[in-house]
Amino acid sequence: MSPQAAPAAEPASPAAGSPLLVLNNIEVIYDEVILVLRGLSLSVPEGKIVALLGSNGAGKSTTLKAVSGLLPSERGEISSGSVTFEGRDVTRMDAPDRVKNGMSLCMEGRHVFPHLTVADNLIAGAYTRRDKAEQIELVYEFFPKLADMRNRTAGYLSGGEQQMLAIGRALMAKPRLLMLDEPSLGLAPLLVTEIFGQIARLNAEIGLTVLVIEQNARRALEVAHHGYIMEQGRIVLEGSSTELQENPDVKEFYLGVGGEGGRKSYREVKHYKRRKRWL
Amino acid sequence: MSTAVNLLIFGLADGAILALAALGFVLIYKATAVINFAQGEFLLVGAYTFYTCFVIFQLPITVGILVGVVVAVLLGIVVERLILRPMIGQSHISIIMVTIGLSGLLNAIVQMFFGTGVRAQPAVLPSPPVSILGATIPGNRLLAILIAAIVLTVLTIFFQKSKHGIAMRSVADDEQAAMTVGISVRRVYAMSWALAAVSALIAGILLADITAVDLHIASFGLMVFPVVILGGLDSVPGTIIGGLTIGIVTQLVSGYLDPGLAEVIPYIILVLILLIRPYGIFGEKRIERV
C-alpha cells in the first residue's frame, strides 16, 4: 500500500507480470486551460485485471481517453508525460493506430451503433483486422445471447445486451488490452454480475489484460487483481485488490462499509479527504 | 395506353438518374451530416468532364468515363479536404452556406470554360426504337434505366455489406465510437465525398446523353431535394423509390396535365411530405433509449 501525496516520478509497478501499459506522469489539458489529469502514473501488467476507481470528476474517463487517443476529438491533449504500450511510446499515436496495435476501448454509455444490426456492429469492430470469422465465433462463445440476436437492430436492444455488444465489438479488434469505462452503468445487479463474470472469464481463458473504470468499487475489486484510486486527476492510493478491500479508507469512502457512526455526510467526507491530502 | 407506357418509361429513366444523383447526396449526409447543395454541380462537372474527353479530345468512351471517375474522385477528396474539413465543428447553417458557395463556384468555373450555350455531343447510348405494349420508346432511355439500376445495386450492396460501407454507416451513427474500433473518420469522410461525386458523374453523363450538354444539368440536380425528402434523407432504398416516384409523377403530370405544372410538382410533393411525414417514407426516426 503506498499512498502517493505527490505524483510519483517512477510509475509504480505491481508485483506480477511485465507491464503492458504504462502511464508515466501524464498531464491532460482540455481547451488549453482546464487541467484534468495532474501527473498521473499507473501501470497495467500483462494478463491482469486492473481497476481504476474514484469519485465523479476524478478524471477516470479522461485517463482512458488519453490511453485510447480520443482526446483530440474532444479538444483535449496530453501536455506532458508519456503513455507506453508494450514498451513503445504511443503518446502521440492516433486512435485508429492504437486499435491496430491492440488497445481497445469500450466507452462509457455503451455507444453501440444504434442503426446497425448486432452482426454489423461486430463487423465494424473488426475494421482493423482481416480474420474476423474466428473472432466473431469467440465473441458468440462468450456472449451466446448476441448470436441469437445477430440480425436485430442494436439500438433496440436492452441496456445489458448493448453492454455485451459493446464489449463484443471491442473484442473483435483482437485487443491485447481491453479498456472498459463503467461497464455496470445503469444495469440491474444480476446483469452487472454477469458482465463482470464474463470479464473475469476473458481474462482467465484468453489471457486478456483489462483496465476497468468503475463507480461500483466493490464489484470491480472482486474481479480485479490490482486497483488504483483516483482523486482530482491523481492517483491517491494503490494496491492489490485484497489490500484495497481491507483498507479502512477504501472501506469508508468507496465500499460504503465504514466503521463507527454509519455513513458520513458529504461535508465530513470532503473534510476527511482534504486532511488526507487527497484533494 | 401507348402514351401512358411512354410517359412511364421516360419517367423511370429520369427517376433512375435522379436516384443516382440523390444517392450521392444521401451518402454525404449519412456519413458526414453535411447537406450538399452542390450535388447538382457535381453532375455538371461530371458531364462536362466527359464531354471534354469524348468530344473535344476525341477519346474513346471508356477512357472518357475513366478520366471522369478520376476527376470525380479528386473533386470529392479536394472538396472534403480543403473546404469541409476546416468547417468541422461549425454550425450546420455555416456548412450549408459553404456548399451553396461551392455550387456557385463550380457552376462559374464550368461557364468560364464552356460558356452558357448548349454543346453538341454525339449519342453515347445507342437509340434504336423499341416497341413496348404499343408504345415506341427510344432505346437509350431503357439503357439509361439499366445502367442506373446496375450502379444503384452495386452501391447499395457496397453500403450494406462491404467493410467500408459498414464503416461509413458506423461513422454516421457515432463518430467517437467509430474511432474506438479503429475506423479513420477522415478517410470515411473523403470516401463518401468521392463516391458521391462518382455517382453524380454517372448521373451527369446519362442525363447529358438523353437530354443535352448544358447548364440545365445543374438545375436537374436541384430535384434531389424532393427525392431525398420523399424517400428519407438517410435511406438508400428510400432514395431509389423517391427518385423513381418523382421521375414518373413529373412525366405523367407533364403528359396529361400541363408541362408547366410538371416543373413545380416535385416541390409541391416536397412541401406535402414535410408537412405529413418530415422524416420521409423510409427515413429513420432517431432511436432514443435512455
Side-chain angles (χ1 to χ4, degrees):
Chain A
M1 180 74 44
S2 56
Q4 296 169 303
E10 280 295 307
S13 45
S18 60
L20 186 65
L21 174 78
V22 178
L23 271 63
N24 190 4
N25 218 357
I26 63 167
E27 284 188 1
V28 168
I29 289 188
Y30 280 108
D31 269 332
E32 296 180 8
V33 279
I34 309 159
L35 185 64
V36 181
L37 298 188
R38 305 184 296 170
L40 175 131
S41 298
L42 63 79
S43 86
V44 180
E46 177 129 37
K48 300 286 175 193
I49 301 179
V50 173
L52 182 57
L53 312 170
S55 46
N56 283 328
K60 305 186 297 294
S61 292
T62 299
T63 308
L64 286 201
K65 282 173 186 161
V67 177
S68 54
L70 288 187
L71 288 175
S73 72
E74 298 187 340
R75 298 202 289 184
E77 60 161 339
I78 300 176
S79 54
S80 81
S82 68
V83 180
T84 48
F85 183 70
E86 296 179 306
R88 219 173 124 195
D89 190 334
V90 296
T91 318
R92 307 267 165 246
M93 191 183 270
D94 67 5
D97 283 339
R98 294 191 204 212
V99 178
K100 249 175 248 167
N101 277 294
M103 313 160 80
S104 279
L105 169 69
C106 196
M107 288 170 81
E108 178 177 1
R110 308 184 272 272
H111 283 270
V112 295
F113 301 124
H115 296 109
L116 270 59
T117 61
V118 169
D120 283 352
N121 262 277
L122 294 177
I123 293 171
Y127 184 76
T128 53
R129 305 202 64 85
R130 290 179 185 279
D131 50 346
K132 53 178 174 270
E134 70 182 67
Q135 207 60 15
I136 221 165
E137 287 311 310
L138 179 90
V139 170
Y140 286 155
E141 189 200 320
F142 276 91
F143 301 103
K145 230 175 167 179
L146 295 180
D148 299 337
M149 46 179 72
R150 63 184 87 191
N151 293 322
R152 296 213 0 226
T153 305
Y156 293 119
L157 303 185
S158 72
E161 292 157 354
Q162 286 193 358
Q163 186 60 59
M164 289 176 199
L165 177 57
I167 296 175
R169 189 182 63 189
L171 287 176
M172 287 300 292
K174 221 172 178 180
R176 308 203 40 214
L177 170 71
L178 177 65
M179 294 171 272
L180 298 163
D181 194 344
E182 302 242 11
S184 76
L185 188 75
L187 299 184
L190 267 177
L191 275 171
V192 178
T193 309
E194 191 181 336
I195 300 254
F196 274 102
Q198 293 302 351
I199 295 170
R201 232 187 102 197
L202 282 165
N203 172 259
E205 291 179 19
I206 62 170
L208 186 68
T209 309
V210 180
L211 173 58
V212 57
I213 285 184
E214 260 302 328
Q215 293 276 354
N216 191 336
R218 182 199 310 268
R219 283 295 170 83
L221 288 177
E222 276 167 14
V223 296
H225 302 101
H226 199 86
Y228 287 89
I229 293 180
M230 272 184 88
E231 286 293 343
Q232 301 272 330
R234 279 182 306 196
I235 302 292
V236 291
L237 272 178
E238 68 145 308
S240 73
S241 54
T242 24
E243 280 174 335
L244 286 178
Q245 278 166 322
E246 295 306 315
N247 182 291
D249 291 334
V250 177
K251 276 185 173 172
E252 176 93 35
F253 299 116
Y254 298 100
L255 298 177
V257 287
E260 324 78 56
R263 284 184 180 243
K264 300 280 191 285
S265 74
Y266 176 74
R267 244 182 98 192
E268 285 170 311
V269 170
K270 190 124 186 169
H271 173 72
Y272 187 88
K273 284 183 177 177
R274 191 162 281 143
R275 221 177 48 189
K276 283 266 183 182
R277 292 178 183 273
W278 286 358
L279 296 187
Chain B
M1 180 64 193
S2 72
T3 325
V5 174
N6 225 317
L7 292 174
L8 213 59
I9 303 277
F10 274 60
L12 273 177
D14 283 3
I17 296 170
L18 259 181
L20 261 182
L23 188 71
F25 182 92
V26 168
L27 283 182
I28 292 177
Y29 178 77
K30 263 189 94 107
T32 70
V34 169
I35 292 185
N36 178 23
F37 273 80
Q39 189 68 18
E41 278 67 23
F42 277 23
L43 264 73
L44 191 68
V45 171
Y48 273 91
T49 309
F50 180 74
Y51 166 80
T52 309
C53 297
F54 185 50
V55 178
I56 299 181
F57 292 117
Q58 303 275 317
L59 297 169
I61 293 177
T62 41
V63 178
I65 292 173
L66 279 180
V67 173
V69 168
V70 172
V71 170
V73 167
L74 285 179
L75 175 70
I77 291 174
V78 166
V79 165
E80 192 278 328
R81 182 73 193 81
L82 294 184
I83 303 181
L84 284 136
R85 199 177 298 169
M87 296 295 291
I88 288 175
Q90 302 292 330
S91 75
H92 280 291
I93 295 294
S94 312
I95 295 176
I96 285 175
M97 293 311 288
V98 165
T99 66
I100 292 176
L102 178 68
S103 78
L105 179 74
L106 292 176
N107 211 316
I109 291 175
V110 170
Q111 285 190 37
M112 191 170 82
F113 285 110
F114 301 96
T116 51
V118 180
R119 294 280 175 149
Q121 176 175 292
V124 178
L125 300 174
S127 192
V130 180
S131 99
I132 299 174
L133 296 172
T136 311
I137 314 273
N140 62 354
R141 301 273 165 169
L142 295 174
L143 278 173
I145 296 173
L146 185 69
I147 293 172
I150 292 171
V151 176
L152 284 171
T153 313
V154 169
L155 282 176
T156 309
I157 292 172
F158 167 82
F159 210 51
Q160 292 299 327
K161 300 281 175 207
S162 80
K163 169 178 158 170
H164 292 288
I166 290 173
M168 285 168 78
R169 289 191 287 141
S170 311
V171 169
D173 259 8
D174 191 329
E175 270 180 30
Q176 222 178 17
M179 286 167 73
T180 66
V181 298
I183 295 170
S184 162
V185 174
R186 275 177 270 171
R187 194 185 299 166
V188 166
Y189 276 18
M191 201 190 301
S192 337
W193 279 89
L195 269 182
V198 170
S199 71
L201 162 88
I202 299 168
I205 296 176
L206 291 176
L207 185 64
D209 195 52
I210 64 174
T211 61
V213 183
D214 67 1
L215 294 173
H216 90 280
I217 292 173
S219 51
F220 185 83
L222 201 60
M223 289 230 286
V224 300
F225 287 99
V227 171
V228 296
I229 297 291
L230 176 65
L233 259 181
D234 47 11
S235 161
V236 173
T239 308
I240 297 171
I241 291 175
L244 296 179
T245 313
I246 297 281
I248 292 170
V249 168
T250 312
Q251 284 290 345
L252 289 179
V253 169
S254 139
Y256 284 119
L257 299 174
D258 177 53
L261 184 61
E263 296 280 312
V264 291
I265 196 75
Y267 304 98
I268 295 174
I269 295 176
L270 181 145
V271 171
L272 286 179
I273 288 288
L274 281 179
L275 287 173
I276 301 165
R277 210 178 148 90
Y279 41 88
I281 300 174
F282 295 91
E284 279 158 345
K285 284 197 239 180
R286 287 201 179 280
I287 300 176
E288 277 182 29
R289 305 185 65 258
V290 188

